[in-house]
């Protein structure tokens, strides 16, 4: 049964990641990560926490702060709050600070890389990232390019219809990157939703005649 006090956790969790003191904030991020990993009601705080990460952490000057922010995003994805994580990160794409935008794009890309297209839906990502391909900030544009390439790794040519508004020179650059990929459509997730766990390996029983079964039927 869920803890009835979960609503009070929302504000507390957000404060942990938005403390104005850098040292306290880092400790708060570590605490929030542990909270997300171990508290069964933590997924209900995803909106407030990720909003705090977007505003105060993804563009922080300290590398450790940014790394912890990414770990927290991934942990909230793991505990079944992936839709809220992506929603809040995409919301950061419109931030006036290009460093925040770049940080949000990087975290979305990392979520997709770790959990794959079965968990992180690609269509909304492409819809949000296409306008940023003409952003005035180079890091934002490069981040957008990486997100599109990562998306292509998972679903291949089927996504190209959503790239129709890109400029010819942009599409040419992307096509060159696509051609260098060797695992399109064969990517495997590195992390899984808590309710799923990693896929089980198929254990093959040895044949009595000593021969090995073919892998493909």
């Amino acid at each position: 049964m869920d803890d009835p006090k979960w609503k009070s956790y929302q504000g507390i969790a957000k404060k942990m990641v938005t403390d104005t003191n850098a040292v306290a904030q880092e400790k708060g991020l570590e605490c929030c990560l542990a909270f997300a990993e171990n508290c069964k009601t933590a997924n209900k705080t995803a909106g407030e926490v990720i909003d705090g990460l977007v505003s105060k952490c993804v563009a922080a000057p300290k590398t450790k702060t940014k790394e912890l922010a990414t770990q927290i995003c991934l942990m909230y994805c793991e505990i079944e709050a992936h839709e809220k994580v992506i929603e809040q990160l995409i919301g950061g794409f419109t931030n006036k600070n290009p460093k925040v935008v770049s940080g949000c794009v990087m975290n979305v890309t990392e979520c997709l890389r770790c959990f794959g297209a079965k968990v992180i839906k690609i269509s909304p990502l492409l819809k949000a990232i296409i306008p940023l391909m003409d952003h005035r900030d180079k890091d934002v544009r490069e981040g957008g390019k990486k997100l599109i390439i990562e998306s292509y790794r998972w679903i291949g040519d089927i996504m190209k219809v959503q790239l129709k508004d890109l400029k010819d020179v942009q599409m040419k650059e992307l096509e060159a990157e696509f051609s260098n990929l060797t695992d399109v459509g064969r990517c495997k997730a590195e992390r899984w939703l808590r309710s799923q766990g990693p896929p089980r390996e198929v254990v093959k029983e040895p044949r009595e005649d000593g021969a090995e079964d073919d892998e493909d039927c």
Side-chain angles (χ1 to χ4, degrees):
M1 185 175 183
D2 286 347
D3 189 333
K5 297 181 179 179
W6 71 265
K7 289 185 178 180
S8 67
Y9 297 159
Q10 293 175 318
I12 296 172
K14 185 172 183 178
K15 288 180 180 178
M16 286 193 291
V17 304
T18 58
D19 198 293
T20 55
N21 181 283
V23 176
Q25 183 189 38
E26 186 173 309
K27 294 298 182 183
L29 287 164
E30 293 173 350
C31 182
C32 186
L33 179 59
F35 166 72
E37 183 176 6
N38 297 291
C39 181
K40 60 184 179 181
T41 59
N43 59 352
K44 297 179 179 180
T45 68
E48 290 74 13
V49 170
I50 306 304
D51 179 65
L53 296 180
V54 169
S55 63
K56 297 294 183 181
C57 300
V58 299
K62 292 186 65 176
T63 300
K64 182 67 176 296
T65 298
K66 291 185 285 191
E67 289 176 348
L68 284 167
T70 298
Q71 290 180 42
I72 292 171
C73 286
L74 295 174
M75 183 55 66
Y76 270 98
C77 286
E78 180 179 309
I79 62 172
E80 323 284 333
H82 46 286
E83 292 181 354
K84 182 59 69 173
V85 171
I86 298 302
E87 177 187 327
Q88 293 292 338
L89 289 173
I90 287 179
F93 286 12
T94 60
N95 196 283
K96 293 181 180 180
N97 184 345
K99 291 184 178 181
V100 171
V101 179
S102 180
C104 288
V105 173
M106 184 279 291
N107 277 284
V108 167
T109 305
E110 187 65 8
C111 289
L112 176 59
R113 187 187 69 81
C114 288
F115 289 92
K118 289 185 178 181
V119 173
I120 308 299
K121 303 305 179 185
I122 286 179
S123 183
L125 308 188
L126 295 177
K127 183 178 180 180
I129 203 63
I130 296 302
L132 296 184
M133 296 302 290
D134 290 320
H135 199 281
R136 58 187 172 82
D137 186 84
K138 180 181 178 181
D139 290 338
V140 173
R141 296 195 304 272
E142 284 299 311
K145 182 178 176 181
K146 290 178 181 178
L147 177 53
I148 293 174
I149 293 169
E150 183 62 32
S151 298
Y152 190 84
R153 287 182 63 237
W154 289 95
I155 61 175
D157 287 342
I158 194 173
M159 62 174 265
K160 286 186 178 180
V161 65
Q162 288 190 262
L163 305 181
K164 59 184 177 59
D165 292 330
L166 290 177
K167 296 175 181 176
D168 290 343
V169 65
Q170 293 171 328
M171 199 62 215
K172 186 176 181 180
E173 290 178 2
L174 287 169
E175 289 283 10
E177 295 288 348
F178 295 162
S179 66
N180 290 328
L181 298 175
T182 59
D183 56 353
V184 177
R186 296 182 288 107
C187 304
K188 293 183 179 180
E190 297 180 6
R191 295 180 66 154
W192 303 269
L193 299 183
R194 186 72 59 86
S195 62
Q196 297 174 333
R200 295 180 179 178
E201 294 291 337
V202 177
V203 179
K204 295 183 179 180
E205 296 294 335
R207 287 173 43 162
E208 293 183 359
D209 59 6
E212 293 185 358
D213 291 327
D214 293 335
E215 290 187 2
D216 298 323
C217 296

